[in-house]
Amino acid sequence: MDQNTQNQSNKLWVKLMVIFFISLLLLIPQVIIQGMISERNSTSIAADEEVSGKWGTGRTLYGPVLFIPSHDGKHNAYIMPEDFRAQATVNTQSLNRGMFDISVYDADVVLDGSFVLPKELDEAQRLQLNFNRAQILFTINDFRGFVDYPTFTYQGQKMELNAGDKVLADYGALSCLVDVSNLVAGGSSTFQLRVPIKGSDCICVVPVGRNTSVEVKSNCTTPSFSGDYLPTNRNVTDSGFTANWKVLALNRDFPQVLDNQARLSAVGTIDISLKVPVEQYQKTTRTSKYAYLIILLTFAVVFLVEQRRRTPVHPVQYGLVGIALVLFYVLLLSFSEHVAFGLSYLIASVMTIGLISAFIFMITKLRGAMLAVCGLLATLYTFIFVLMQMETYALLVGSIGVFVILALAMYASQKIKWY
């Protein structure tokens, strides 16, 4: 190897080291952008919590439950309904807090069913109970959720529920005295309770009946069914959803008769999340994890063009290209707070690809170099966007994509005279 070839080889490796050093320096703004995304997400959560704290958080409905005190006050019975049906019509709306939209709801809930004295209540226990002081108890986890007074009907007779010193599921309960003589005689009694409530995030129902059925209708188009019981039927459309649940006493984790009502606060519930998912921050974070890969590949293509076409590109120009690639994530974050993530991604990618492609053309005066960089970035941004839409196969497709990229890099490396 002559002296001239040796000098060219040394310059090549020095240039590679400089480019690699520039790519490492670009990790600093990437970390700053990650912090910016996290900060914006925290601000969104804080706005959500502030509005929810004033409007009301998720609501959980407990009861109605038939309370029969004992004569000595130590062996009280809390009897669950024999049949329990819940029908809820939930209307969601968005409240604005700055530039953030917070999802809240108003709900009209109708609870109806019947009581009997269950077979689990044996004769000895019945003798200890004072049936003349029987009461209906009902509560939610926060009384601020009531929009209006609940309307209660027992055996066809309208009755008034009042707040008192009774407690159900660790919360103060609404209650009223009821006549249970027909239950003692072996009959049943019916009830209906209409509860207008408001809240945010979710609405939950405890399946207190031996046989429980729940039906929920809403204009929310992004529901999430969680809790301990999944719906037996669901239908989600662009105009809302309907869902039904069927829960048997065999499915529950508490018996038909309780002697300690506090256990209701820890039982399984039917949960319906009505919160509009704020996914732009999560998606932007996931997208930004590929930033360094895009920077390296773009630098590699520019370096390949530089070596093949003998068109020198200054390290400062590499740095400017890298900054433009990092700026993509700032654009994506800022646009996604105002328009849909897909449209934000398109706008940010077109702006970035257009800027870098034009810059490469101005540097090299080569249309082929411009098209190569433009094609690479368009392919990479499209590939990453497709990955963002996947869940089950994201890792598989991503690993195959990286493998293909590595194979192409190996093929391209043979075009360069390293020595």
Side-chain angles (χ1 to χ4, degrees):
M1 182 183 296
D2 56 32
Q3 186 64 35
N4 184 45
T5 304
Q6 181 66 43
N7 290 337
Q8 289 181 351
S9 178
N10 291 338
K11 289 180 180 179
L12 177 66
W13 286 106
V14 169
K15 187 66 171 289
L16 281 173
M17 294 300 295
V18 171
I19 294 172
F20 183 68
F21 179 71
I22 292 172
S23 67
L24 290 179
L25 285 179
L26 290 172
L27 288 174
I28 297 174
Q30 289 181 54
V31 172
I32 295 173
I33 290 173
Q34 290 281 1
M36 185 186 304
I37 297 171
S38 178
E39 180 184 356
R40 301 299 293 177
N41 189 32
S42 299
T43 304
S44 173
I45 294 173
D48 191 314
E49 291 177 348
E50 182 178 354
V51 173
S52 298
K54 296 177 180 178
W55 182 273
T57 55
R59 301 306 183 194
T60 302
L61 287 73
Y62 299 90
V65 171
L66 180 61
F67 167 72
I68 306 178
S70 63
H71 294 289
D72 59 9
K74 298 179 180 179
H75 301 87
N76 305 327
Y78 298 83
I79 300 174
M80 306 297 114
E82 185 70 12
D83 295 301
F84 177 69
R85 294 173 295 276
Q87 294 179 308
T89 301
V90 186
N91 293 313
T92 60
Q93 59 176 305
S94 293
L95 299 181
N96 301 108
R97 184 63 175 175
M99 65 179 181
F100 302 107
D101 293 328
I102 314 301
S103 180
V104 298
Y105 67 81
D106 290 285
D108 183 34
V109 185
V110 178
L111 312 172
D112 65 87
S114 62
F115 286 103
V116 299
L117 288 186
K119 58 185 178 181
E120 292 88 344
L121 200 64
D122 59 34
E123 188 63 31
Q125 290 175 302
R126 294 189 185 196
L127 292 175
Q128 295 177 338
L129 299 178
N130 183 1
F131 290 97
N132 294 326
R133 301 297 300 170
Q135 299 180 50
I136 291 291
L137 302 183
F138 171 77
T139 193
I140 62 175
N141 56 334
D142 189 344
F143 276 22
R144 292 177 299 176
F146 287 120
V147 176
D148 201 349
Y149 291 101
T151 304
F152 181 63
T153 303
Y154 182 80
Q155 287 290 78
Q157 180 180 358
K158 187 175 180 180
M159 309 183 74
E160 185 176 355
L161 292 173
N162 297 298
D165 58 356
K166 295 298 180 185
V167 174
L168 180 64
D170 293 338
Y171 304 104
L174 300 177
S175 63
C176 70
L177 291 171
V178 292
D179 181 7
V180 294
S181 57
N182 58 325
L183 301 185
V184 177
S188 64
S189 58
T190 60
F191 67 87
Q192 183 183 81
L193 177 62
R194 182 178 293 274
V195 187
I197 58 174
K198 66 177 182 178
S200 62
D201 190 16
C202 67
I203 182 170
C204 311
V205 178
V206 177
V208 291
R210 188 187 297 274
N211 301 291
T212 297
S213 61
V214 176
E215 179 182 354
V216 178
K217 299 179 181 179
S218 175
N219 62 341
C220 176
T221 58
T222 56
S224 176
F225 307 108
S226 53
D228 298 273
Y229 309 95
L230 293 178
T232 53
N233 296 291
R234 71 183 78 178
N235 181 31
V236 182
T237 66
D238 293 336
S239 58
F241 77 91
T242 59
N244 302 85
W245 287 258
K246 179 72 174 180
V247 181
L248 305 176
L250 294 174
N251 310 136
R252 301 180 323 199
D253 52 0
F254 59 95
Q256 194 67 9
V257 180
L258 298 178
D259 57 6
N260 181 6
Q261 84 286 359
R263 290 179 57 187
L264 271 182
S265 61
V267 300
T269 58
I270 294 170
D271 294 2
I272 308 100
S273 176
L274 302 163
K275 191 172 185 177
V276 176
V278 181
E279 297 180 340
Q280 67 264 28
Y281 301 111
Q282 180 184 1
K283 289 183 177 180
T284 304
T285 300
R286 289 177 59 195
T287 303
S288 66
K289 292 179 180 179
Y290 296 91
Y292 197 65
L293 176 64
I294 293 178
I295 290 172
L296 287 179
L297 290 175
T298 305
F299 282 3
V301 170
V302 175
F303 178 77
L304 181 62
V305 170
E306 178 183 1
Q307 297 302 313
R308 293 281 292 171
R309 300 293 184 177
R310 302 299 178 183
T311 305
V313 179
H314 195 275
V316 172
Q317 294 170 323
Y318 276 96
L320 291 175
V321 171
I323 292 173
L325 291 171
V326 173
L327 185 61
F328 164 81
Y329 302 99
V330 180
L331 293 171
L332 177 61
L333 174 64
S334 57
F335 279 113
S336 67
E337 291 184 334
H338 301 279
V339 296
F341 181 83
L343 181 59
S344 303
Y345 193 95
L346 177 62
I347 294 172
S349 58
V350 168
M351 291 177 64
T352 303
I353 294 172
L355 175 63
I356 294 176
S357 299
F359 185 59
I360 293 297
F361 182 75
M362 288 188 291
I363 295 173
T364 64
K365 307 301 181 182
L366 298 172
R367 182 172 298 178
M370 178 191 71
L371 293 177
V373 172
C374 179
L376 170 73
L377 291 176
T379 301
L380 288 176
Y381 283 137
T382 301
F383 176 68
I384 292 172
F385 183 77
V386 172
L387 282 183
M388 293 302 101
Q389 312 309 309
M390 294 183 174
E391 294 183 3
T392 306
Y393 298 103
L395 179 60
L396 175 63
V397 174
S399 59
I400 293 175
V402 173
F403 179 83
V404 172
I405 291 170
L406 178 61
L408 293 175
M410 289 179 174
Y411 175 77
S413 67
Q414 67 178 337
K415 305 293 183 180
I416 300 176
K417 294 180 180 180
W418 299 97
Y419 297 103

